[in-house]
Amino acid sequence: MMRTLRAVALAALSVVLVAGPAQAAARPLAAPPAEAQISVELCPPDAVVPGETGTLEVKVTNNGPNATTDATLVVVHFPPPGVVKSADPPVALTYFGTGSSYSVPAGLAPGAASVEKLAMYVAPITLPGETISGDVKAFYPGDPDQSGHTTPYSFVTADTKAHMMVGASSAWQAGHPVPQPGDLTGKPGSTINLPLWVYNAGPSYSRHPIDLMVTVPEHTALTGTPPFGCTATGPRSLTCHFGEGPRFQNAIFIDPAVEIDPDTVAGQVLPGGTLDVMPSPEEDCGPMSDWHTGFVVTVD
């Protein structure tokens, strides 16, 4: 009898020992709770004129149950030659070949968001009507779900804007002529070149035709071959046509040669020189005062 009871007890114990580990293996381990869940929302700029900036608004939100305990790295891909110029509120930007990055500090509370307004500078060389595309990525190591961390954006460039300014000098500063020794002076009967120019103050490259009208001063007369793109329309007048204006912060120089009347005398100032540009109204909205300049030749 004792032997039978002992056998029954051992059999029951063996069932417990076998069933216990099997039940433990079948029960899945609970995953650790998510520390934070990050999402990225964007508000891209409207059409941006090449040479100007548009605002890309980046909103990084913590949708998780806990505050972030590490910084969130935000990477903004923006095709060169454009560049992210600044952020509002100010934040340190780290630049790389195809964009910039910044960090959202740790401590972003559940339901809270970090919003940055990024100034996206579109290079002046960019064509109008071009679609610029990129994306923004957020990297937070405490988020087990990486979906929603990459958000694309795109915007289209507007028509270019180029502002023309004219001058009569061999040099300029800040878009205005700077007289140089020997500029617009000559002896009676001599031939001199008039350093005339049209300058593009931007912000874009010029994409439209421009026309110039030149009148040389009294007691001078055009001589020699007219400058490239120009045609003499009288003894003292030229018209010039160019398929496009100068590039951004660049100039087209025209240097017509004139002969000074041999009957002039040293110290005489010869008035009546004018230079006018007629830019395309499609890209240049003035001020119109920059499209005209007067100049004189001084007899030495």
Side-chain angles (χ1 to χ4, degrees):
M1 182 67 179
M2 290 292 295
R3 187 173 298 171
T4 301
L5 292 174
R6 183 178 180 183
V8 171
L10 290 173
L13 179 61
S14 66
V15 170
V16 171
L17 291 175
V18 170
Q23 291 174 356
R27 187 182 303 121
L29 296 175
E35 186 176 278
Q37 294 175 348
I38 301 299
S39 65
V40 178
E41 297 175 77
L42 303 178
C43 182
D46 295 326
V48 180
V49 172
E52 296 183 352
T53 59
T55 300
L56 175 68
E57 186 174 284
V58 180
K59 182 179 181 181
V60 177
T61 304
N62 178 7
N63 301 305
N66 299 308
T68 58
T69 56
D70 293 300
T72 301
L73 178 65
V74 181
V75 178
V76 182
H77 291 109
F78 185 46
V83 66
V84 181
K85 294 187 71 173
S86 61
D88 181 26
V91 66
L93 293 169
T94 300
Y95 296 94
F96 54 91
T98 58
S100 306
S101 65
Y102 65 92
S103 292
V104 176
L108 189 63
S114 168
V115 178
E116 290 289 346
K117 294 182 178 180
L118 305 179
M120 313 289 275
Y121 176 71
V122 177
I125 194 174
T126 310
L127 292 171
E130 183 173 339
T131 299
I132 295 178
S133 301
D135 60 51
V136 177
K137 299 182 178 182
F139 297 91
Y140 179 68
D143 188 350
D145 179 10
Q146 294 298 312
S147 64
H149 288 203
T150 300
T151 304
Y153 69 88
S154 66
F155 60 91
V156 179
T157 58
D159 194 13
T160 55
K161 291 183 181 178
H163 178 53
M164 303 304 164
M165 310 172 74
V166 293
S169 172
S170 62
W172 74 81
Q173 288 181 357
H176 297 285
V178 180
Q180 300 294 300
D183 274 1
L184 307 172
T185 63
K187 298 185 180 301
S190 65
T191 296
I192 63 171
N193 285 85
L194 304 178
L196 309 179
W197 50 261
V198 54
Y199 173 78
N200 178 7
S204 305
Y205 277 36
S206 173
R207 309 284 183 186
H208 298 277
I210 62 168
D211 292 280
L212 302 176
M213 293 189 303
V214 179
T215 301
V216 300
E218 298 174 8
H219 304 291
T220 69
L222 292 163
T223 185
T225 303
F228 174 78
C230 299
T231 301
T233 54
R236 293 179 49 219
S237 59
L238 283 172
T239 59
C240 309
H241 176 80
F242 301 96
E244 290 183 345
R247 295 184 175 187
F248 171 56
Q249 293 185 341
N250 211 329
I252 293 175
F253 290 90
I254 55 173
D255 297 285
V258 296
E259 183 179 353
I260 300 175
D261 190 331
D263 293 333
T264 58
V265 296
Q268 186 174 353
V269 176
L270 311 180
T274 60
L275 171 61
D276 292 271
V277 62
M278 293 178 289
S280 169
E282 297 176 29
E283 68 177 356
D284 195 330
C285 297
M288 296 176 62
S289 57
D290 290 334
W291 301 346
H292 168 84
T293 190
F295 61 94
V296 299
V297 168
T298 302
V299 182
D300 59 10

